[in-house]
Amino acid sequence: MIHLTRRRARVAAAAAAALLLTAQAPRPAPPAPVEMWVPKKTPYAAYDSPNRPWWKLADVLALHRGASDWSQPIVRNRDLVADWHQQGAGKRTTEVAYSDNRTVIIVWGGQLRVAIAGQPSFVASKGFEIDVPLRVPFTLETVGDRPALWFEIHAAADMPLYPVASTTERPRDVAGFHYERRLAAGGAGTPDEANPLSLDYYKDVVQGGARATAFVATQHLFVNNIRGRATPTPPASNLGHFHVGYDEFWFVMEGNVDLQIEGEPLIKAAAPGDVLIAKQGRWHRASFGGPEGQMGTRVAVNSYPMGMHGYSVESRGRQ
């Protein structure tokens, strides 16, 4: 017990030190772009269901009006899946772990007691970002008298694992997979300085002044908090950039976001809780909208921490 307490203290201290360094350390200069022949998907990828350029949170809530417990698929691509979930007061999710990658959760309504094996449980409210390491069982329990609402992101290839100790009967099969009682080898992931267990974004960044930066930067998952002030929307001639081999999406955490996507109408002043998606090979350019000077945060999500951005030669690698 003493050893476990000390380990938890070290993890907490490392997370606090990482947050302090994030607030103080200067940003490294990005490497200079190199002119190359870059393949652009032609035609660019279409929006297949449930993906759409702009998922408004208000529309999601309207789809489930009157229901206490529900899930809504939002993102489906080759690399990542992301869904909205709501859970009624007093309820708890089944204990589950995910096979090979981290799980990221953004809490958006009510309160959740987050129990991650090997870590002290904590209560998360709106604006909390949570990073569950791979193969670590966890549960989410709604506390208080209001439903809890959260956005959950997984690697597309991951499958849920159910600990036999808490799920004694064989889980229901899913399409293409049959659950069997086996030993899951490989060990469990842990939090580290670059990938802390949680971040209370509103408390630590919006109110506390810590710098917005990457929350998760690991193999197959990049969750990057980008914060700035609203400015006039750039002209359509500013194409932004495109990605050669993957989709990208954004969760609006604060303020408003404008997004230009090739082949789609300009998205103007997307609101907190909205999700925006740019499909593979489409030029896209995000900026902070709303009243000029208002602070905004978009949480950029893709599967490549060092993903390539293809810019026009004329832009000199800037947007």
Side-chain angles (χ1 to χ4, degrees):
M1 178 62 73
I2 293 175
H3 175 73
L4 182 60
T5 301
R6 287 175 177 170
R7 184 168 69 84
R8 288 173 177 171
R10 287 197 300 271
V11 169
L19 186 62
L20 181 61
L21 288 173
T22 294
Q24 296 176 347
R27 292 183 186 273
V34 178
E35 191 167 346
M36 295 185 178
W37 294 105
V38 177
K40 185 176 185 295
K41 184 172 175 57
T42 308
Y44 45 66
Y47 282 91
D48 50 339
S49 181
N51 303 288
R52 59 176 67 172
W54 186 0
W55 265 108
K56 297 181 181 181
L57 177 58
D59 293 342
V60 173
L61 297 177
L63 287 172
H64 302 280
R65 185 174 290 115
S68 174
D69 301 84
W70 51 265
S71 296
Q72 176 62 50
I74 299 295
V75 176
R76 292 291 184 276
N77 61 52
R78 182 188 63 191
D79 302 305
L80 299 171
V81 302
D83 301 325
W84 276 110
H85 299 274
Q86 181 170 288
Q87 178 177 257
K91 296 186 177 180
R92 185 177 67 173
T93 61
T94 300
E95 186 179 38
V96 66
Y98 282 85
S99 52
D100 296 302
N101 297 278
R102 296 170 182 271
T103 296
V104 169
I105 297 164
I106 301 176
V107 180
W108 206 244
Q111 291 185 313
L112 281 174
R113 187 181 309 281
V114 182
I116 300 173
Q119 304 293 334
S121 65
F122 59 94
V123 175
S125 54
K126 184 175 181 178
F128 259 81
E129 298 177 1
I130 301 163
D131 170 16
V132 183
L134 66 147
R135 291 190 288 275
V136 177
F138 69 98
T139 60
L140 305 173
E141 180 185 1
T142 305
V143 297
D145 56 2
R146 294 175 51 206
L149 178 67
W150 71 92
F151 189 69
E152 188 167 324
I153 305 166
H154 297 278
D158 265 0
M159 296 294 296
L161 313 174
Y162 299 92
V164 171
S166 56
T167 301
T168 56
E169 296 185 5
R170 189 177 71 84
R172 181 181 300 176
D173 292 338
V174 296
F177 292 88
H178 174 75
Y179 275 96
E180 300 177 347
R181 187 167 177 167
R182 302 297 182 202
L183 296 177
T190 58
D192 55 47
E193 291 186 9
N195 302 282
L197 199 70
S198 66
L199 170 66
D200 186 343
Y201 191 84
Y202 290 157
K203 176 178 177 289
D204 295 335
V205 178
V206 176
Q207 299 170 12
R211 191 177 72 195
T213 188
F215 177 60
V216 172
T218 189
Q219 185 181 23
H220 303 311
L221 185 58
F222 186 41
V223 180
N224 188 23
N225 293 305
I226 303 171
R227 191 168 194 244
R229 293 189 182 278
T231 58
T233 304
S237 58
N238 181 340
L239 300 175
H241 62 268
F242 65 89
H243 301 297
V244 173
Y246 60 92
D247 298 354
E248 184 172 26
F249 65 94
W250 301 263
F251 182 98
V252 182
M253 176 70 79
E254 172 196 19
N256 300 103
V257 172
D258 296 345
L259 181 65
Q260 175 178 290
I261 303 173
E262 184 179 6
E264 298 294 328
L266 174 67
I267 293 173
K268 191 73 173 170
D274 291 357
V275 177
L276 312 173
I277 303 173
K279 294 293 289 182
Q280 176 190 4
R282 293 186 186 233
W283 289 103
H284 56 274
R285 184 216 62 229
S287 60
F288 293 110
E292 191 165 346
Q294 171 186 264
M295 294 302 298
T297 300
R298 61 183 186 270
V299 185
V301 184
N302 61 58
S303 50
Y304 296 94
M306 296 185 66
M308 199 204 80
H309 295 56
Y311 289 93
S312 69
V313 174
E314 296 77 14
S315 74
R316 299 182 180 180
R318 302 173 67 90
Q319 68 177 57

